[in-house]
Amino acid sequence: MQIDIVSVFPEYFDVLNLSLFGKAQSKGLVSVHAHNLRDWTHDVHHSVDDTPVGGGAGMVMKPEVWAECLDDLLGLEPREMNADGESDSNSNSGTGIPDGADATATTSAAAGESPSNGTGDAEHQPASDSASADTVPDSDSQAPTHNLDTVLIFPNPSAPLFTQRDATELSHAKRLVFGCGRYEGYDARIPAYYRAQGVDVREYSIGDYVLNGGEVAVSVMLEAITRLLPGFMGNPESIVEESYTGSEALLEHRQYTRPAVWRGMGVPDVLLSGDHGKVDRFRRDEALARTDAIRPDLIEQLDCAQLSKADRKTLMALGWEVSAEHPRRLNRE
């Protein structure tokens, strides 16, 4: 997998040379290149930001700098857009997009809304010269997933939450290009423009909190994605029963190691029994119970038809009705 990261602090990603990620690079499983966005500036100060259109605090990352950088990395030629957010030319020649490919934006944005800064601050929104719903394609909409050759990804707290399912899908891509926002974020037209050129553009939030920049979010996504690559983990079975993994996304059961008794605290007796069937059932029941207590929304997504008789019994004991398509929590007094 080829990974390109664009940031005003590319040295931040030196950490990727450590641990399993560093070993994966040495083995040739992944190739990582961190690029300094300022290398595509032309002024003496190497400016990458400007004041928000319409006023407001902070600075917004400029589309022209990002565009020069991304055009180079993606092998695209500059294209002018019309008022409908579409390319003025009907031809895709010179853009790296096959003839006949769809070069229109996927959807239109809701009136008055624009994506946030991609750095974790959902209250601050980057400005756009074209703020109406008629001119700005929706940056929150995820691109189609059928082509995973190259995917362009921006962290954005206004976007859908990045999940294990997303990590699994993206682990099959040949190339990932990440853009790290800073300040008040990137101009809303940047992801919209590249979607209109037929690029698979994703925007993801990693949680409901504030970060100084997209670098941390990109590191999180890279960890989640690359550890799923064949050969990345020393023991591939270690990722099979993890939290959020597979079609039945439950929280993982608790883990223990030796000694069996530590400072007066023992591990559950069943784990010492040597009965693998009982151990598996204990762990499955604990996964269901932990998920019920912490993330009941995951229980609600289970397919009751796929549950075993023992699973149903456990869920019923936890207060769930399991005769419908999905579990439904019964009222508790």
Side-chain angles (χ1 to χ4, degrees), residues 104-107 138-148 150-153 160 166 169-170 191 194-196 198-204:
T104 60
T106 56
T107 56
D138 185 0
S139 292
D140 287 344
S141 300
Q142 302 304 296
T145 60
H146 59 274
N147 182 359
L148 283 181
T150 297
V151 184
L152 174 59
I153 302 172
D166 296 313
E169 180 192 1
L170 291 169
Y194 286 97
R195 281 198 185 95
V199 178
D200 187 345
V201 182
R202 315 288 183 90
E203 294 179 274
Y204 291 114

PDB file of all heavy atoms in Angstrom, residues 104-107 138-148 150-153 160 166 169-170 191 194-196 198-204:
ATOM      1  N   THR A 104     -18.961  14.501 -11.969  1.00  0.00           N
ATOM      2  CA  THR A 104     -19.826  15.425 -11.260  1.00  0.00           C
ATOM      3  C   THR A 104     -19.786  15.128  -9.784  1.00  0.00           C
ATOM      4  O   THR A 104     -19.487  14.025  -9.358  1.00  0.00           O
ATOM      5  CB  THR A 104     -21.282  15.307 -11.749  1.00  0.00           C
ATOM      6  OG1 THR A 104     -21.735  13.973 -11.506  1.00  0.00           O
ATOM      7  CG2 THR A 104     -21.372  15.615 -13.236  1.00  0.00           C
ATOM      8  N   ALA A 105     -20.109  16.146  -8.981  1.00  0.00           N
ATOM      9  CA  ALA A 105     -20.161  15.949  -7.540  1.00  0.00           C
ATOM     10  C   ALA A 105     -21.333  15.041  -7.206  1.00  0.00           C
ATOM     11  O   ALA A 105     -22.334  14.999  -7.919  1.00  0.00           O
ATOM     12  CB  ALA A 105     -20.326  17.294  -6.835  1.00  0.00           C
ATOM     13  N   THR A 106     -21.232  14.325  -6.100  1.00  0.00           N
ATOM     14  CA  THR A 106     -22.243  13.335  -5.769  1.00  0.00           C
ATOM     15  C   THR A 106     -23.541  13.958  -5.302  1.00  0.00           C
ATOM     16  O   THR A 106     -24.614  13.512  -5.683  1.00  0.00           O
ATOM     17  CB  THR A 106     -21.704  12.401  -4.667  1.00  0.00           C
ATOM     18  OG1 THR A 106     -21.301  13.195  -3.544  1.00  0.00           O
ATOM     19  CG2 THR A 106     -20.516  11.602  -5.178  1.00  0.00           C
ATOM     20  N   THR A 107     -23.472  14.980  -4.465  1.00  0.00           N
ATOM     21  CA  THR A 107     -24.683  15.598  -3.948  1.00  0.00           C
ATOM     22  C   THR A 107     -24.452  17.072  -3.757  1.00  0.00           C
ATOM     23  O   THR A 107     -23.365  17.581  -3.983  1.00  0.00           O
ATOM     24  CB  THR A 107     -25.077  14.991  -2.581  1.00  0.00           C
ATOM     25  OG1 THR A 107     -23.974  15.137  -1.685  1.00  0.00           O
ATOM     26  CG2 THR A 107     -25.434  13.516  -2.709  1.00  0.00           C
ATOM     27  N   ASP A 138     -21.839  18.657  -1.489  1.00  0.00           N
ATOM     28  CA  ASP A 138     -21.804  18.258  -0.091  1.00  0.00           C
ATOM     29  C   ASP A 138     -20.504  17.549   0.240  1.00  0.00           C
ATOM     30  O   ASP A 138     -20.212  16.487  -0.275  1.00  0.00           O
ATOM     31  CB  ASP A 138     -22.985  17.322   0.186  1.00  0.00           C
ATOM     32  CG  ASP A 138     -23.094  16.950   1.641  1.00  0.00           C
ATOM     33  OD1 ASP A 138     -22.262  17.421   2.425  1.00  0.00           O
ATOM     34  OD2 ASP A 138     -24.023  16.207   1.972  1.00  0.00           O
ATOM     35  N   SER A 139     -19.744  18.112   1.166  1.00  0.00           N
ATOM     36  CA  SER A 139     -18.474  17.504   1.554  1.00  0.00           C
ATOM     37  C   SER A 139     -18.663  16.401   2.573  1.00  0.00           C
ATOM     38  O   SER A 139     -17.722  15.696   2.898  1.00  0.00           O
ATOM     39  CB  SER A 139     -17.538  18.579   2.129  1.00  0.00           C
ATOM     40  OG  SER A 139     -17.146  19.462   1.135  1.00  0.00           O
ATOM     41  N   ASP A 140     -19.890  16.269   3.138  1.00  0.00           N
ATOM     42  CA  ASP A 140     -20.121  15.221   4.116  1.00  0.00           C
ATOM     43  C   ASP A 140     -20.426  13.879   3.460  1.00  0.00           C
ATOM     44  O   ASP A 140     -20.299  12.836   4.077  1.00  0.00           O
ATOM     45  CB  ASP A 140     -21.295  15.590   5.036  1.00  0.00           C
ATOM     46  CG  ASP A 140     -20.919  16.685   6.014  1.00  0.00           C
ATOM     47  OD1 ASP A 140     -19.714  16.911   6.174  1.00  0.00           O
ATOM     48  OD2 ASP A 140     -21.813  17.294   6.599  1.00  0.00           O
ATOM     49  N   SER A 141     -20.851  13.905   2.193  1.00  0.00           N
ATOM     50  CA  SER A 141     -21.230  12.666   1.526  1.00  0.00           C
ATOM     51  C   SER A 141     -19.984  11.870   1.169  1.00  0.00           C
ATOM     52  O   SER A 141     -19.031  12.400   0.628  1.00  0.00           O
ATOM     53  CB  SER A 141     -22.021  12.977   0.256  1.00  0.00           C
ATOM     54  OG  SER A 141     -23.193  13.698   0.567  1.00  0.00           O
ATOM     55  N   GLN A 142     -20.019  10.593   1.461  1.00  0.00           N
ATOM     56  CA  GLN A 142     -18.892   9.737   1.144  1.00  0.00           C
ATOM     57  C   GLN A 142     -18.985   9.279  -0.308  1.00  0.00           C
ATOM     58  O   GLN A 142     -20.066   9.019  -0.827  1.00  0.00           O
ATOM     59  CB  GLN A 142     -18.870   8.523   2.066  1.00  0.00           C
ATOM     60  CG  GLN A 142     -18.791   8.906   3.540  1.00  0.00           C
ATOM     61  CD  GLN A 142     -17.605   9.780   3.865  1.00  0.00           C
ATOM     62  OE1 GLN A 142     -16.466   9.362   3.734  1.00  0.00           O
ATOM     63  NE2 GLN A 142     -17.857  10.991   4.286  1.00  0.00           N
ATOM     64  N   ALA A 143     -17.861   9.182  -0.964  1.00  0.00           N
ATOM     65  CA  ALA A 143     -17.830   8.774  -2.367  1.00  0.00           C
ATOM     66  C   ALA A 143     -18.151   7.299  -2.491  1.00  0.00           C
ATOM     67  O   ALA A 143     -18.055   6.537  -1.538  1.00  0.00           O
ATOM     68  CB  ALA A 143     -16.441   9.064  -2.948  1.00  0.00           C
ATOM     69  N   PRO A 144     -18.532   6.851  -3.682  1.00  0.00           N
ATOM     70  CA  PRO A 144     -18.795   5.428  -3.882  1.00  0.00           C
ATOM     71  C   PRO A 144     -17.577   4.580  -3.527  1.00  0.00           C
ATOM     72  O   PRO A 144     -16.439   5.038  -3.636  1.00  0.00           O
ATOM     73  CB  PRO A 144     -19.108   5.343  -5.384  1.00  0.00           C
ATOM     74  CG  PRO A 144     -19.564   6.710  -5.751  1.00  0.00           C
ATOM     75  CD  PRO A 144     -18.779   7.648  -4.885  1.00  0.00           C
ATOM     76  N   THR A 145     -17.816   3.350  -3.125  1.00  0.00           N
ATOM     77  CA  THR A 145     -16.727   2.518  -2.609  1.00  0.00           C
ATOM     78  C   THR A 145     -16.281   1.439  -3.590  1.00  0.00           C
ATOM     79  O   THR A 145     -15.487   0.583  -3.227  1.00  0.00           O
ATOM     80  CB  THR A 145     -17.164   1.833  -1.302  1.00  0.00           C
ATOM     81  OG1 THR A 145     -18.314   1.007  -1.582  1.00  0.00           O
ATOM     82  CG2 THR A 145     -17.531   2.853  -0.250  1.00  0.00           C
ATOM     83  N   HIS A 146     -16.795   1.461  -4.842  1.00  0.00           N
ATOM     84  CA  HIS A 146     -16.489   0.369  -5.747  1.00  0.00           C
ATOM     85  C   HIS A 146     -15.061   0.435  -6.287  1.00  0.00           C
ATOM     86  O   HIS A 146     -14.524  -0.560  -6.726  1.00  0.00           O
ATOM     87  CB  HIS A 146     -17.480   0.354  -6.909  1.00  0.00           C
ATOM     88  CG  HIS A 146     -17.490   1.621  -7.706  1.00  0.00           C
ATOM     89  ND1 HIS A 146     -18.255   2.709  -7.346  1.00  0.00           N
ATOM     90  CD2 HIS A 146     -16.823   1.981  -8.844  1.00  0.00           C
ATOM     91  CE1 HIS A 146     -18.062   3.681  -8.235  1.00  0.00           C
ATOM     92  NE2 HIS A 146     -17.209   3.262  -9.141  1.00  0.00           N
ATOM     93  N   ASN A 147     -14.442   1.608  -6.273  1.00  0.00           N
ATOM     94  CA  ASN A 147     -13.088   1.751  -6.813  1.00  0.00           C
ATOM     95  C   ASN A 147     -12.148   2.150  -5.689  1.00  0.00           C
ATOM     96  O   ASN A 147     -12.194   3.272  -5.209  1.00  0.00           O
ATOM     97  CB  ASN A 147     -13.090   2.819  -7.922  1.00  0.00           C
ATOM     98  CG  ASN A 147     -11.710   2.966  -8.545  1.00  0.00           C
ATOM     99  OD1 ASN A 147     -10.764   2.292  -8.136  1.00  0.00           O
ATOM    100  ND2 ASN A 147     -11.591   3.833  -9.525  1.00  0.00           N
ATOM    101  N   LEU A 148     -11.308   1.211  -5.268  1.00  0.00           N
ATOM    102  CA  LEU A 148     -10.389   1.496  -4.173  1.00  0.00           C
ATOM    103  C   LEU A 148      -8.960   1.516  -4.675  1.00  0.00           C
ATOM    104  O   LEU A 148      -8.060   0.963  -4.063  1.00  0.00           O
ATOM    105  CB  LEU A 148     -10.559   0.472  -3.051  1.00  0.00           C
ATOM    106  CG  LEU A 148     -11.785   0.665  -2.165  1.00  0.00           C
ATOM    107  CD1 LEU A 148     -11.821  -0.381  -1.079  1.00  0.00           C
ATOM    108  CD2 LEU A 148     -11.813   2.054  -1.552  1.00  0.00           C
ATOM    109  N   THR A 150      -7.186   4.636  -5.575  1.00  0.00           N
ATOM    110  CA  THR A 150      -6.661   5.744  -4.771  1.00  0.00           C
ATOM    111  C   THR A 150      -7.813   6.406  -4.029  1.00  0.00           C
ATOM    112  O   THR A 150      -8.843   6.713  -4.614  1.00  0.00           O
ATOM    113  CB  THR A 150      -5.968   6.793  -5.659  1.00  0.00           C
ATOM    114  OG1 THR A 150      -4.834   6.185  -6.297  1.00  0.00           O
ATOM    115  CG2 THR A 150      -5.500   7.987  -4.831  1.00  0.00           C
ATOM    116  N   VAL A 151      -7.634   6.628  -2.732  1.00  0.00           N
ATOM    117  CA  VAL A 151      -8.644   7.283  -1.912  1.00  0.00           C
ATOM    118  C   VAL A 151      -8.015   8.501  -1.245  1.00  0.00           C
ATOM    119  O   VAL A 151      -6.943   8.399  -0.642  1.00  0.00           O
ATOM    120  CB  VAL A 151      -9.216   6.337  -0.837  1.00  0.00           C
ATOM    121  CG1 VAL A 151     -10.329   7.025  -0.056  1.00  0.00           C
ATOM    122  CG2 VAL A 151      -9.734   5.047  -1.472  1.00  0.00           C
ATOM    123  N   LEU A 152      -8.685   9.649  -1.359  1.00  0.00           N
ATOM    124  CA  LEU A 152      -8.240  10.893  -0.739  1.00  0.00           C
ATOM    125  C   LEU A 152      -9.052  11.101   0.536  1.00  0.00           C
ATOM    126  O   LEU A 152     -10.291  11.106   0.491  1.00  0.00           O
ATOM    127  CB  LEU A 152      -8.447  12.061  -1.703  1.00  0.00           C
ATOM    128  CG  LEU A 152      -8.161  13.472  -1.189  1.00  0.00           C
ATOM    129  CD1 LEU A 152      -6.715  13.617  -0.729  1.00  0.00           C
ATOM    130  CD2 LEU A 152      -8.488  14.500  -2.282  1.00  0.00           C
ATOM    131  N   ILE A 153      -8.371  11.271   1.667  1.00  0.00           N
ATOM    132  CA  ILE A 153      -9.036  11.295   2.973  1.00  0.00           C
ATOM    133  C   ILE A 153      -8.681  12.567   3.741  1.00  0.00           C
ATOM    134  O   ILE A 153      -7.497  12.908   3.874  1.00  0.00           O
ATOM    135  CB  ILE A 153      -8.642  10.064   3.805  1.00  0.00           C
ATOM    136  CG1 ILE A 153      -9.002   8.780   3.052  1.00  0.00           C
ATOM    137  CG2 ILE A 153      -9.321  10.096   5.171  1.00  0.00           C
ATOM    138  CD1 ILE A 153      -8.470   7.523   3.712  1.00  0.00           C
ATOM    139  N   PRO A 160     -18.969  11.836   8.916  1.00  0.00           N
ATOM    140  CA  PRO A 160     -19.332  10.596   9.607  1.00  0.00           C
ATOM    141  C   PRO A 160     -18.183  10.049  10.442  1.00  0.00           C
ATOM    142  O   PRO A 160     -17.014  10.273  10.133  1.00  0.00           O
ATOM    143  CB  PRO A 160     -19.671   9.639   8.448  1.00  0.00           C
ATOM    144  CG  PRO A 160     -20.034  10.527   7.309  1.00  0.00           C
ATOM    145  CD  PRO A 160     -19.172  11.747   7.461  1.00  0.00           C
ATOM    146  N   ASP A 166     -14.952   0.992   8.179  1.00  0.00           N
ATOM    147  CA  ASP A 166     -14.223   1.855   7.245  1.00  0.00           C
ATOM    148  C   ASP A 166     -12.762   1.430   7.151  1.00  0.00           C
ATOM    149  O   ASP A 166     -12.175   1.388   6.064  1.00  0.00           O
ATOM    150  CB  ASP A 166     -14.314   3.317   7.694  1.00  0.00           C
ATOM    151  CG  ASP A 166     -15.728   3.855   7.663  1.00  0.00           C
ATOM    152  OD1 ASP A 166     -16.421   3.649   6.645  1.00  0.00           O
ATOM    153  OD2 ASP A 166     -16.147   4.471   8.653  1.00  0.00           O
ATOM    154  N   GLU A 169     -12.470  -1.657   4.998  1.00  0.00           N
ATOM    155  CA  GLU A 169     -12.623  -1.351   3.578  1.00  0.00           C
ATOM    156  C   GLU A 169     -11.376  -0.684   3.013  1.00  0.00           C
ATOM    157  O   GLU A 169     -10.857  -1.066   1.960  1.00  0.00           O
ATOM    158  CB  GLU A 169     -13.829  -0.444   3.358  1.00  0.00           C
ATOM    159  CG  GLU A 169     -14.035  -0.081   1.891  1.00  0.00           C
ATOM    160  CD  GLU A 169     -15.037   1.039   1.694  1.00  0.00           C
ATOM    161  OE1 GLU A 169     -15.574   1.556   2.689  1.00  0.00           O
ATOM    162  OE2 GLU A 169     -15.260   1.410   0.531  1.00  0.00           O
ATOM    163  N   LEU A 170     -10.867   0.310   3.729  1.00  0.00           N
ATOM    164  CA  LEU A 170      -9.722   1.075   3.238  1.00  0.00           C
ATOM    165  C   LEU A 170      -8.434   0.250   3.244  1.00  0.00           C
ATOM    166  O   LEU A 170      -7.485   0.591   2.532  1.00  0.00           O
ATOM    167  CB  LEU A 170      -9.548   2.342   4.068  1.00  0.00           C
ATOM    168  CG  LEU A 170     -10.654   3.386   3.879  1.00  0.00           C
ATOM    169  CD1 LEU A 170     -10.553   4.478   4.936  1.00  0.00           C
ATOM    170  CD2 LEU A 170     -10.602   3.994   2.484  1.00  0.00           C
ATOM    171  N   PRO A 191     -12.404  19.396  -0.972  1.00  0.00           N
ATOM    172  CA  PRO A 191     -12.931  18.044  -1.204  1.00  0.00           C
ATOM    173  C   PRO A 191     -14.021  18.022  -2.263  1.00  0.00           C
ATOM    174  O   PRO A 191     -14.129  17.054  -3.031  1.00  0.00           O
ATOM    175  CB  PRO A 191     -13.463  17.626   0.170  1.00  0.00           C
ATOM    176  CG  PRO A 191     -13.666  18.890   0.914  1.00  0.00           C
ATOM    177  CD  PRO A 191     -12.620  19.836   0.422  1.00  0.00           C
ATOM    178  N   TYR A 194     -12.443  17.884  -5.828  1.00  0.00           N
ATOM    179  CA  TYR A 194     -11.851  16.603  -6.220  1.00  0.00           C
ATOM    180  C   TYR A 194     -12.902  15.514  -6.382  1.00  0.00           C
ATOM    181  O   TYR A 194     -12.729  14.600  -7.198  1.00  0.00           O
ATOM    182  CB  TYR A 194     -10.717  16.220  -5.271  1.00  0.00           C
ATOM    183  CG  TYR A 194      -9.513  17.071  -5.538  1.00  0.00           C
ATOM    184  CD1 TYR A 194      -9.238  18.202  -4.778  1.00  0.00           C
ATOM    185  CD2 TYR A 194      -8.691  16.802  -6.624  1.00  0.00           C
ATOM    186  CE1 TYR A 194      -8.160  19.023  -5.073  1.00  0.00           C
ATOM    187  CE2 TYR A 194      -7.615  17.612  -6.932  1.00  0.00           C
ATOM    188  CZ  TYR A 194      -7.356  18.729  -6.152  1.00  0.00           C
ATOM    189  OH  TYR A 194      -6.294  19.552  -6.475  1.00  0.00           O
ATOM    190  N   ARG A 195     -13.992  15.593  -5.644  1.00  0.00           N
ATOM    191  CA  ARG A 195     -15.096  14.678  -5.912  1.00  0.00           C
ATOM    192  C   ARG A 195     -15.626  14.901  -7.333  1.00  0.00           C
ATOM    193  O   ARG A 195     -15.957  13.946  -8.037  1.00  0.00           O
ATOM    194  CB  ARG A 195     -16.226  14.886  -4.915  1.00  0.00           C
ATOM    195  CG  ARG A 195     -16.001  14.254  -3.562  1.00  0.00           C
ATOM    196  CD  ARG A 195     -17.296  14.105  -2.776  1.00  0.00           C
ATOM    197  NE  ARG A 195     -17.008  13.601  -1.444  1.00  0.00           N
ATOM    198  CZ  ARG A 195     -16.856  14.358  -0.375  1.00  0.00           C
ATOM    199  NH1 ARG A 195     -16.987  15.662  -0.485  1.00  0.00           N
ATOM    200  NH2 ARG A 195     -16.574  13.827   0.787  1.00  0.00           N
ATOM    201  N   ALA A 196     -15.719  16.168  -7.715  1.00  0.00           N
ATOM    202  CA  ALA A 196     -16.235  16.487  -9.044  1.00  0.00           C
ATOM    203  C   ALA A 196     -15.305  16.007 -10.149  1.00  0.00           C
ATOM    204  O   ALA A 196     -15.739  15.831 -11.289  1.00  0.00           O
ATOM    205  CB  ALA A 196     -16.469  17.996  -9.170  1.00  0.00           C
ATOM    206  N   GLY A 198     -13.969  13.116 -10.068  1.00  0.00           N
ATOM    207  CA  GLY A 198     -14.053  11.666 -10.061  1.00  0.00           C
ATOM    208  C   GLY A 198     -13.166  10.988  -9.047  1.00  0.00           C
ATOM    209  O   GLY A 198     -13.028   9.759  -9.059  1.00  0.00           O
ATOM    210  N   VAL A 199     -12.538  11.754  -8.148  1.00  0.00           N
ATOM    211  CA  VAL A 199     -11.674  11.186  -7.111  1.00  0.00           C
ATOM    212  C   VAL A 199     -12.546  10.649  -5.979  1.00  0.00           C
ATOM    213  O   VAL A 199     -13.552  11.254  -5.605  1.00  0.00           O
ATOM    214  CB  VAL A 199     -10.693  12.243  -6.576  1.00  0.00           C
ATOM    215  CG1 VAL A 199      -9.829  11.664  -5.456  1.00  0.00           C
ATOM    216  CG2 VAL A 199      -9.821  12.779  -7.701  1.00  0.00           C
ATOM    217  N   ASP A 200     -12.172   9.503  -5.443  1.00  0.00           N
ATOM    218  CA  ASP A 200     -12.852   8.936  -4.278  1.00  0.00           C
ATOM    219  C   ASP A 200     -12.378   9.705  -3.049  1.00  0.00           C
ATOM    220  O   ASP A 200     -11.279   9.475  -2.543  1.00  0.00           O
ATOM    221  CB  ASP A 200     -12.512   7.447  -4.160  1.00  0.00           C
ATOM    222  CG  ASP A 200     -13.319   6.744  -3.076  1.00  0.00           C
ATOM    223  OD1 ASP A 200     -13.927   7.425  -2.243  1.00  0.00           O
ATOM    224  OD2 ASP A 200     -13.320   5.499  -3.074  1.00  0.00           O
ATOM    225  N   VAL A 201     -13.209  10.625  -2.571  1.00  0.00           N
ATOM    226  CA  VAL A 201     -12.843  11.495  -1.448  1.00  0.00           C
ATOM    227  C   VAL A 201     -13.659  11.094  -0.223  1.00  0.00           C
ATOM    228  O   VAL A 201     -14.875  10.949  -0.294  1.00  0.00           O
ATOM    229  CB  VAL A 201     -13.104  12.984  -1.772  1.00  0.00           C
ATOM    230  CG1 VAL A 201     -12.679  13.868  -0.599  1.00  0.00           C
ATOM    231  CG2 VAL A 201     -12.368  13.390  -3.039  1.00  0.00           C
ATOM    232  N   ARG A 202     -12.985  10.922   0.894  1.00  0.00           N
ATOM    233  CA  ARG A 202     -13.652  10.598   2.158  1.00  0.00           C
ATOM    234  C   ARG A 202     -13.318  11.662   3.193  1.00  0.00           C
ATOM    235  O   ARG A 202     -12.195  12.167   3.240  1.00  0.00           O
ATOM    236  CB  ARG A 202     -13.190   9.241   2.700  1.00  0.00           C
ATOM    237  CG  ARG A 202     -13.124   8.117   1.676  1.00  0.00           C
ATOM    238  CD  ARG A 202     -14.492   7.635   1.254  1.00  0.00           C
ATOM    239  NE  ARG A 202     -14.371   6.516   0.328  1.00  0.00           N
ATOM    240  CZ  ARG A 202     -14.329   5.240   0.700  1.00  0.00           C
ATOM    241  NH1 ARG A 202     -14.389   4.913   1.977  1.00  0.00           N
ATOM    242  NH2 ARG A 202     -14.223   4.280  -0.208  1.00  0.00           N
ATOM    243  N   GLU A 203     -14.282  11.989   4.029  1.00  0.00           N
ATOM    244  CA  GLU A 203     -14.049  12.847   5.180  1.00  0.00           C
ATOM    245  C   GLU A 203     -14.568  12.094   6.401  1.00  0.00           C
ATOM    246  O   GLU A 203     -15.695  11.607   6.404  1.00  0.00           O
ATOM    247  CB  GLU A 203     -14.762  14.188   5.019  1.00  0.00           C
ATOM    248  CG  GLU A 203     -14.198  15.015   3.873  1.00  0.00           C
ATOM    249  CD  GLU A 203     -14.933  16.334   3.700  1.00  0.00           C
ATOM    250  OE1 GLU A 203     -15.962  16.315   2.985  1.00  0.00           O
ATOM    251  OE2 GLU A 203     -14.494  17.344   4.278  1.00  0.00           O
ATOM    252  N   TYR A 204     -13.745  12.001   7.432  1.00  0.00           N
ATOM    253  CA  TYR A 204     -14.089  11.228   8.612  1.00  0.00           C
ATOM    254  C   TYR A 204     -13.809  12.025   9.884  1.00  0.00           C
ATOM    255  O   TYR A 204     -12.832  12.777   9.968  1.00  0.00           O
ATOM    256  CB  TYR A 204     -13.252   9.946   8.688  1.00  0.00           C
ATOM    257  CG  TYR A 204     -13.560   8.917   7.636  1.00  0.00           C
ATOM    258  CD1 TYR A 204     -12.612   8.597   6.663  1.00  0.00           C
ATOM    259  CD2 TYR A 204     -14.769   8.231   7.631  1.00  0.00           C
ATOM    260  CE1 TYR A 204     -12.875   7.626   5.702  1.00  0.00           C
ATOM    261  CE2 TYR A 204     -15.042   7.264   6.670  1.00  0.00           C
ATOM    262  CZ  TYR A 204     -14.085   6.961   5.712  1.00  0.00           C
ATOM    263  OH  TYR A 204     -14.350   6.005   4.766  1.00  0.00           O
TER     264      TYR A 204
END
